[in-house]
């Protein structure tokens, strides 16, 4: 029996698992997908928000600020790419300028440092691609961008190093409290745990309802994006927001940690919590709205469109605390934006709540707290030659667009949390994220997965069940 079972392998669930794994606690992470970071975490903006947007005194405000202050340290110890960019919130009308003043006041109340309102001329001096209609902007120097896939995978790998079991491709069907523990029935059999942590994202209200009463409601909101080629990666150097609305922070234009340009999202309430389709109307809206900020974006340089579903709550705040209707059941729910930014702080808060509820937490001897990843393209020339001499696989490029080598992919396949799919390798190594979107490297990664994991080629999948790439050999 486990001490803690975490339902949900996104950024919040994996961050909580990593934090808990520093103690002598038996942990399981349960997720219906084939890998971690398969829901909202794999389809978000990757922004580390400064913390001026949430109302003062809210959980969201406190955890956003704490999380953003922790993020650089987290990325350093976990060897995850992060780029400090700062952010602008643009004003186009007198009403927008009034809203900037509100955000400035709120940000100062929240404890965000360095905020200031700049004139339109000063903003365009710093970001020449911005529209001439910009009257003013709120500058937040602490904003940054991060790789959300690698951050989630890094948390999971360190947790696995400390003994956490990842029970993937197991869908929770029923929760039953029995004497002093939970029985979690999945489609692959029961899992028993003293405590349950509900980090199920857009399905968190359904998981809570299985355990007790439906204590809150999740409002799924779909957001669509454009990912642009690196030829546009320096069009802006900061994260560019427009004034936020009721459904979110609006359409942004932002650099990524890998040198691309990201545009989106819109905000469309959807009935289907797993509806990640892209639509003509949604893409048109993103283009039209982004043009107000940055008029001259060449959409011929788009290399991918995608969508994600955010888990907004009816309360407008994060829902974090022990359930009112289910014993030894912790909700980490309603974690919409800025959930990624807040994840380190949410994990710390979760551990303290469980401690206060009675979970015994004794520090683990010699617990893993960090990881180190070889990225050949980022190494100085002399060091690059050294690692290739030590392991010739680092000298064979598999993904030409992102310059990812066979050695890096093999390292990922032999980590404590093994990726079994092409997309799993992508999340850890960045393969298939460049201009050709896997057109060159996918067959080679398929062969590596087959070789390293002893799979038949036709057993290798793109992602979840049913996504096998090959159907068999030609007669």
């Amino acid at each position: 029996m486990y001490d803690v079972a975490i339902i949900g392998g996104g950024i919040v669930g994996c961050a909580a698992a990593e934090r808990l794994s520093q103690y002598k606690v038996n942990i399981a992470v349960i997720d219906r997908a084939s890998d971690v970071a398969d829901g909202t975490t794999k389809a978000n903006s990757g922004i580390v928000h400064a913390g001026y947007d949430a109302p003062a005194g809210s959980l969201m405000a406190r955890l956003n600020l704490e999380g953003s202050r922790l993020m650089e340290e987290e990325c350093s110890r976990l060897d995850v790419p992060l780029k400090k960019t700062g952010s602008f919130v643009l004003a186009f009308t007198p009403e927008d300028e009034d809203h900037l003043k509100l955000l400035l006041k709120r940000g100062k109340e929240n404890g965000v440092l360095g905020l200031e309102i700049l004139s339109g001329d000063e903003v365009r001096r710093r970001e020449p691609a911005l529209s001439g209609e910009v009257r003013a902007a709120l500058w937040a120097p602490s904003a940054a961008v991060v790789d959300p896939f690698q951050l989630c995978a890094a948390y999971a790998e360190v947790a696995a190093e400390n003994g956490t079991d990842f029970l993937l491709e197991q869908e929770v069907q029923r929760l039953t409290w029995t004497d002093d523990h939970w029985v979690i029935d999945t489609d692959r059999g029961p899992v028993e745990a003293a405590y349950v942590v509900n980090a199920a994202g857009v399905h968190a209200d359904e998981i809570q309802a299985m355990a007790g009463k439906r204590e809150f409601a999740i409002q799924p909101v779909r957001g669509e994006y454009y990912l642009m080629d690196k030829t546009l990666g320096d069009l802006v150097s900061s994260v560019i927001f427009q004034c936020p609305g009721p459904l979110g922070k609006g359409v942004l234009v932002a650099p990524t940690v890998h040198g691309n340009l990201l545009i989106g999202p819109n905000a469309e309430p959807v009935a289907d919590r797993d509806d990640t389709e892209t639509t003509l109307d949604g893409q048109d809206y993103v283009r039209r709205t982004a043009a107000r900020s940055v008029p001259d974006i060449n959409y011929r340089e788009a290399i991918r469109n995608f969508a994600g579903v955010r888990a907004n709550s009816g309360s407008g705040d994060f829902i974090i605390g022990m359930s009112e209707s289910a014993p030894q059941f912790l909700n980490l729910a309603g974690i919409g934006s800025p959930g990624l930014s807040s994840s380190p702080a949410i994990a710390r808060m979760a551990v303290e709540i469980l401690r206060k509820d009675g979970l015994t937490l004794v520090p683990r001897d010699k617990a893993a707290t960090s990881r180190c990843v070889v990225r050949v393209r980022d190494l100085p020339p002399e060091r690059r030659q050294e690692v290739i001499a030590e392991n010739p696989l680092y000298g064979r490029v598999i993904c030409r667009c992102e310059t990812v080598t066979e050695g890096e992919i093999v390292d990922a396949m032999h980590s404590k949390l093994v990726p079994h799919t092409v997309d799993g390798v992508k999340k850890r190594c960045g393969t298939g994220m460049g201009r050709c979107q896997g057109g060159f490297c996918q067959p080679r990664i398929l062969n590596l997965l087959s070789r390293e994991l002893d799979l038949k080629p036709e057993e290798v999948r793109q992602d979840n069940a049913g996504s096998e790439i090959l159907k068999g050999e030609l007669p």
Side-chain angles (χ1 to χ4, degrees):
M1 186 172 77
Y2 293 100
D3 298 310
V4 180
I6 299 171
I7 300 175
I11 187 67
V12 171
C14 288
E18 192 271 341
R19 190 70 179 173
L20 271 174
S21 78
Q22 306 300 315
Y23 301 91
K24 294 178 180 179
V25 179
N26 295 323
I27 308 163
V29 176
I30 306 170
D31 199 289
R32 63 178 181 168
S34 64
D35 194 18
V36 297
D38 201 70
T40 303
T41 301
K42 78 172 182 182
N44 69 65
S45 308
I47 309 299
V48 181
H49 294 279
Y52 51 74
D53 191 44
S58 65
L59 266 179
M60 192 178 288
R62 177 164 67 86
L63 295 172
N64 183 172
L65 182 65
E66 181 184 348
S68 70
R69 287 177 174 173
L70 288 168
M71 191 61 74
E72 186 174 3
E73 176 189 340
E74 295 289 275
C75 289
S76 176
R77 73 179 176 90
L78 297 170
D79 201 357
V80 172
L82 177 140
K83 182 189 295 183
K84 295 181 178 179
T85 60
S87 68
F88 288 105
V89 182
L90 307 183
F92 299 95
T93 66
E95 291 76 18
D96 285 348
E97 291 185 88
D98 290 339
H99 195 79
L100 294 189
K101 295 174 184 176
L102 173 64
L103 293 178
L104 177 65
K105 178 175 180 294
R106 186 181 296 166
K108 289 182 176 180
E109 290 172 347
N110 290 347
V112 182
L113 301 178
L115 295 175
E116 58 179 327
I117 294 176
L118 304 176
S119 69
D121 289 340
E122 174 60 19
V123 176
R124 278 185 293 274
R125 187 187 68 78
R126 299 190 188 189
E127 295 285 0
L130 294 185
S131 166
E133 296 181 8
V134 175
R135 298 170 59 102
L138 176 67
W139 168 242
S142 60
V145 292
V146 68
D147 185 325
F149 328 114
Q150 289 196 44
L151 180 59
C152 186
Y155 278 133
E157 287 174 12
V158 173
E161 188 75 32
N162 289 327
T164 299
D165 290 333
F166 283 81
L167 309 180
L168 301 175
E169 297 189 276
Q170 299 196 32
E171 185 165 3
V172 175
Q173 298 178 327
R174 185 168 55 253
L175 287 159
T176 307
W177 177 255
T178 304
D179 296 327
D180 62 350
H181 68 277
W182 287 99
V183 177
I184 306 161
D185 288 308
T186 78
D187 55 357
R188 292 197 175 186
V191 178
E192 296 184 328
Y195 281 84
V196 169
V197 175
N198 176 15
V202 294
H203 296 280
D205 55 346
E206 297 171 334
I207 295 297
Q208 165 63 53
M210 288 184 192
K213 297 187 296 186
R214 190 180 288 265
E215 297 178 5
F216 52 85
I218 295 298
Q219 300 171 347
V221 177
R222 181 175 62 194
E224 301 183 41
Y225 293 87
Y226 279 87
L227 180 66
M228 312 301 286
D229 186 60
K230 292 181 180 179
T231 54
L232 294 186
D234 59 357
L235 187 62
V236 296
S237 59
S238 311
V239 179
I240 308 299
F241 293 107
Q242 297 175 7
C243 283
L247 291 177
K249 296 177 174 63
V251 173
L252 60 84
V253 180
T256 72
V257 289
H258 302 296
N260 302 85
L261 188 72
L262 188 67
I263 304 165
N266 62 337
E268 180 185 2
V270 289
D272 182 352
R273 298 164 189 250
D274 301 310
D275 183 358
T276 56
E277 292 185 354
T278 55
T279 66
L280 182 60
D281 287 345
Q283 299 294 300
D284 285 345
Y285 176 84
V286 169
R287 287 198 306 272
R288 290 196 312 271
T289 308
R292 197 178 188 197
S293 301
V294 183
D296 298 321
I297 300 174
N298 180 8
Y299 284 91
R300 292 182 179 180
E301 296 300 312
I303 60 175
R304 192 174 188 89
N305 300 104
F306 64 93
V309 181
R310 301 190 289 279
N312 292 352
S313 76
S315 71
D317 200 358
F318 296 156
I319 300 165
I320 298 177
M322 301 304 294
S323 169
E324 298 174 358
S325 61
Q328 295 179 199
F329 189 97
L330 171 60
N331 285 308
L332 306 178
I335 313 295
S337 180
L340 175 67
S341 312
S342 306
S343 56
I346 293 172
R348 284 160 171 75
M349 184 177 183
V351 169
E352 290 310 308
I353 291 173
L354 291 171
R355 188 199 304 271
K356 289 178 182 177
D357 197 71
L359 179 65
T360 301
L361 295 176
V362 177
R364 186 182 298 275
D365 298 330
K366 298 180 180 179
T369 58
S370 62
R371 65 163 201 167
C372 184
V373 179
V374 175
R375 297 184 183 90
V376 175
R377 68 180 178 272
D378 296 335
L379 296 176
E382 290 184 5
R383 179 58 184 152
R384 189 179 306 155
Q385 293 305 314
E386 289 175 3
V387 300
I388 293 172
E390 294 167 4
N391 181 355
L393 294 184
Y394 289 128
R396 184 184 177 212
V397 174
I398 298 296
C399 175
R400 294 190 301 188
C401 296
E402 299 299 303
T403 319
V404 181
T405 69
E406 182 174 351
E408 296 163 66
I409 296 168
V410 170
D411 286 349
M413 290 181 187
H414 292 275
S415 68
K416 285 292 185 179
L417 186 63
V418 178
H420 289 86
T421 65
V422 171
D423 280 1
V425 173
K426 177 180 183 178
K427 291 172 192 172
R428 287 154 181 79
C429 302
T431 51
M433 295 185 70
R435 188 176 184 89
C436 84
Q437 288 291 292
F440 176 80
C441 65
Q442 185 194 64
R444 291 156 179 81
I445 295 168
L446 185 152
N447 286 334
L448 291 177
L449 284 163
S450 176
R451 183 190 78 193
E452 297 295 321
L453 305 183
D454 195 24
L455 298 171
K456 295 178 181 177
E458 58 268 29
E459 292 176 330
V460 177
R461 300 182 312 199
Q462 184 72 35
D463 192 7
N464 291 316
S467 64
E468 290 80 9
I469 297 166
L470 303 177
K471 294 301 182 183
E473 295 184 12
L474 292 172

